[in-house]
Amino acid sequence: MSVIKVSEKLSVSPQPSVDDIRSLQEKGYAMLINNRPVAEDATQPGTDVESQEVEHCGLTYVYIPVTLGTITEADVRAFQKALDACDGPAFAHCKSGTRSISLYLIGEVLDGRMVAEDVVEFGRAHGFDTSSVAAWLMQHAGRRPKVKGFFDKRTWSVQYVVSDPETGKCAIIDPVLDFDEKAGATGTINADTILDYVQENGLSVEWILDTHPHADHFSAAQYLKEKTGARTAIGERVVDVQKLWKGIYNWPELATDGAQWDRLFAHGETFKIGTIDSKVMFSPGHTLASITYVVGDAAFVHDTLFMPDSGTARADFPGGDAGILWKSIQDILALPDETRIFTGHDYQPNGRAPRWESTVAEQKKYNQHLAGVTEEQYVALRTKRDKTLPMPKLILHALQVNIRGGRLPEPEANGRRYLKFPLDALQGAAWE
Ligand SMILES: N[C@@H](CCC(=O)N[C@@H](CS)C(=O)NCC(=O)O)C(=O)O
Ligand SMILES: [Fe+2]
């Protein structure tokens, strides 16, 4: 048996015989990881025999079967998790050892401990052909967009530029148009900061995306469309939000066909940002029209999940529903564990610095509204908390702009724009 030491924690080997397996304990190994699917060829002992022998010797047995062409990030993470959990050195094998070393190398590159350019040389130095790792990483880079978040302190909003490293094409998600309600002043500081980033990084904007008609700030979608020429989009159910608020604002001229956007996305629709496959998931509950954008391995969930220490979004706006929000959140949590989750707000609990990135795995484990909580408990908790929350201070300002895709009201004869508020239309909300 030719065993190759790859790191302090890991050695890889071709298929060991049963006698080889029996000798692992005295050689100091604490774990055997089998990366070979059962019945690959007639001579391999197979997972049952291996696990029996390994456990008989007091070692831990882990079975992560892979084939070279179909390795997923989940396999790589499972391999890393097993190694992390192992007290001593681990022994991993497949038929030749190539798959085992490949899982290790992909993990090292994903976590930034090695650069992709070095994997082939590392393999060669250890006697393996790891060119398929380089190919995997190339392909995977296409799934892994670059995400830059911009935090707006005034509204605790997070705006994003998500870009394809290969083509420099990008989308802007949930941009904020600044507004000071005391002076009635509008501004483009946030949006211009985003445009500066786009320019400095040589990006070209393909899409300006909103996750929902926001109730706490104006969308800068229209301003950014004028500046970049990119197409605007939102979820198709925005027409229901338009109809709802058309009534609340008593606004007969408001068009409620969604024509204010270039594209309305239905659940399951796909589109591209550069070469990166993107998909829309319908995520109602916070609003009637909320959607999640899944761009490669990144999900832009806006007001569904917040950071795990912050819980989830409220569900008491007109058209909101805690039970429906629960279901939308379950759909998001059904994405692969390693999916990066980017939230739309961070209310900085206990005054901590703003944060906006987590993973599905972290959310499942730590979200303080969800971990160990049933649907019934969630709906009760959400409803109780929502009764204590005053309306966002800009809800009446913001909806009349955002249901028109971020267009301010048309100027009156004197050239000035005016907002209009219904009185006593939002019943039952807590007072500040
Ligand atoms: N105080 C904020 C509240 C904003 C707010 O209600 N945010 C919504 C998202 S649009 C939310 O889900 N908040 C959750 C919470 O406050 O627990 C404001 O006035 O703008
Ligand atoms: Fe919101």
Side-chain angles (χ1 to χ4, degrees):
M1 173 174 68
S2 68
V3 184
I4 309 292
K5 186 168 170 182
V6 170
S7 73
E8 284 312 309
K9 201 78 193 275
L10 176 69
S11 295
V12 301
S13 153
Q15 176 69 56
S17 67
V18 170
D19 283 343
D20 292 333
I21 293 173
R22 288 183 185 148
S23 72
L24 290 178
Q25 191 205 20
E26 72 195 33
K27 292 191 170 126
Y29 294 105
M31 173 180 281
L32 182 144
I33 306 176
N34 177 5
N35 295 127
R36 260 190 117 173
V38 277
E40 225 174 33
D41 70 39
T43 61
Q44 71 186 107
T47 184
D48 290 344
V49 174
E50 287 199 22
S51 69
Q52 266 165 30
E53 294 297 334
V54 163
E55 279 156 15
H56 187 68
C57 302
L59 272 67
T60 308
Y61 178 74
V62 181
Y63 181 46
I64 307 171
V66 296
T67 55
L68 262 193
T70 60
I71 290 177
T72 65
E73 187 171 341
D75 297 325
V76 173
R77 298 301 180 197
F79 190 83
Q80 287 182 320
K81 207 168 144 193
L83 279 185
D84 284 350
C86 181
D87 282 340
F91 173 99
H93 81 83
C94 49
K95 185 171 187 204
S96 69
T98 305
R99 282 171 267 181
S100 301
I101 195 173
S102 297
L103 288 166
Y104 166 79
L105 285 173
I106 293 171
E108 291 302 287
V109 175
L110 288 183
D111 292 348
R113 287 183 291 272
M114 194 184 283
V115 292
E117 290 69 32
D118 290 349
V119 297
V120 172
E121 185 44 42
F122 186 96
R124 194 177 299 130
H126 289 79
F128 293 99
D129 173 6
T130 49
S131 51
S132 64
V133 173
W136 190 99
L137 289 164
M138 282 258 286
Q139 247 185 348
H140 187 85
R143 279 199 64 238
R144 203 170 164 87
K146 183 169 177 194
V147 178
K148 169 80 178 162
F150 298 84
F151 186 67
D152 173 41
K153 278 197 296 219
R154 198 176 282 119
T155 61
W156 299 276
S157 299
V158 195
Q159 318 153 82
Y160 294 99
V161 174
V162 50
S163 56
D164 171 15
E166 223 169 283
T167 59
K169 303 261 173 69
C170 73
I172 298 171
I173 303 186
D174 289 320
V176 172
L177 186 75
D178 311 308
F179 178 61
D180 173 25
E181 77 281 13
K182 296 182 286 304
T186 62
T188 57
I189 299 162
N190 270 300
D192 290 337
T193 304
I194 291 175
L195 289 175
D196 287 348
Y197 171 84
V198 164
Q199 205 193 10
E200 280 158 19
N201 289 277
L203 302 176
S204 84
V205 185
E206 284 194 306
W207 291 102
I208 301 157
L209 306 173
D210 270 295
T211 50
H212 66 291
H214 307 281
D216 64 324
H217 64 265
F218 294 167
S219 164
Q222 193 54 32
Y223 171 75
L224 288 170
K225 180 182 169 67
E226 282 156 22
K227 288 283 176 185
T228 63
R231 296 202 289 164
T232 59
I234 198 165
E236 64 172 359
R237 293 283 302 276
V238 76
V239 298
D240 297 329
V241 180
Q242 290 181 316
K243 285 172 196 144
L244 179 70
W245 285 89
K246 178 177 183 147
I248 296 173
Y249 286 120
N250 185 28
W251 193 355
E253 316 81 64
L254 176 71
T256 56
D257 57 359
Q260 296 87 342
W261 290 267
D262 297 314
R263 180 144 170 205
L264 299 183
F265 284 121
H267 174 72
E269 265 197 85
T270 57
F271 64 105
K272 292 255 189 200
I273 297 175
T275 57
I276 299 181
D277 290 325
S278 309
K279 188 170 182 171
V280 171
M281 279 169 67
F282 189 34
S283 306
H286 173 65
T287 74
L288 285 171
S290 298
I291 56 176
T292 292
Y293 295 101
V294 183
V295 181
D297 73 330
F300 296 87
V301 301
H302 215 277
D303 300 349
T304 50
L305 299 159
F306 292 143
M307 287 304 284
D309 61 355
S310 227
T312 61
R314 64 195 291 179
D316 61 330
F317 297 160
D321 185 297
I324 291 176
L325 180 57
W326 165 269
K327 290 191 176 65
S328 297
I329 287 172
Q330 300 314 306
D331 291 345
I332 293 169
L333 295 180
L335 291 167
D337 269 358
E338 64 274 11
T339 306
R340 291 178 289 164
I341 298 283
F342 293 96
T343 187
H345 287 293
D346 184 56
Y347 294 106
Q348 303 184 254
N350 305 314
R352 69 145 167 68
R355 294 181 59 211
W356 47 80
E357 178 175 350
S358 59
T359 61
V360 164
E362 284 163 19
Q363 290 285 354
K364 286 201 279 210
K365 204 159 165 195
Y366 301 118
N367 189 294
Q368 58 152 350
H369 289 176
L370 301 168
V373 172
T374 64
E375 174 172 3
E376 217 174 31
Q377 287 166 335
Y378 176 75
V379 171
L381 161 163
R382 192 63 265 170
T383 310
K384 186 165 170 230
R385 177 165 161 78
D386 287 351
K387 285 202 171 70
T388 69
L389 299 175
M391 280 292 140
K393 64 176 187 279
L394 297 184
I395 187 168
L396 295 174
H397 305 67
L399 259 311
Q400 59 194 287
V401 171
N402 294 340
I403 53 175
R404 295 178 66 234
R407 289 174 182 79
L408 295 170
E410 295 309 315
E412 297 193 358
N414 62 357
R416 213 165 277 301
R417 304 172 195 269
Y418 294 82
L419 295 169
K420 174 182 170 184
F421 304 114
L423 300 185
D424 297 320
L426 303 183
Q427 293 298 332
W431 286 54
E432 196 84 68

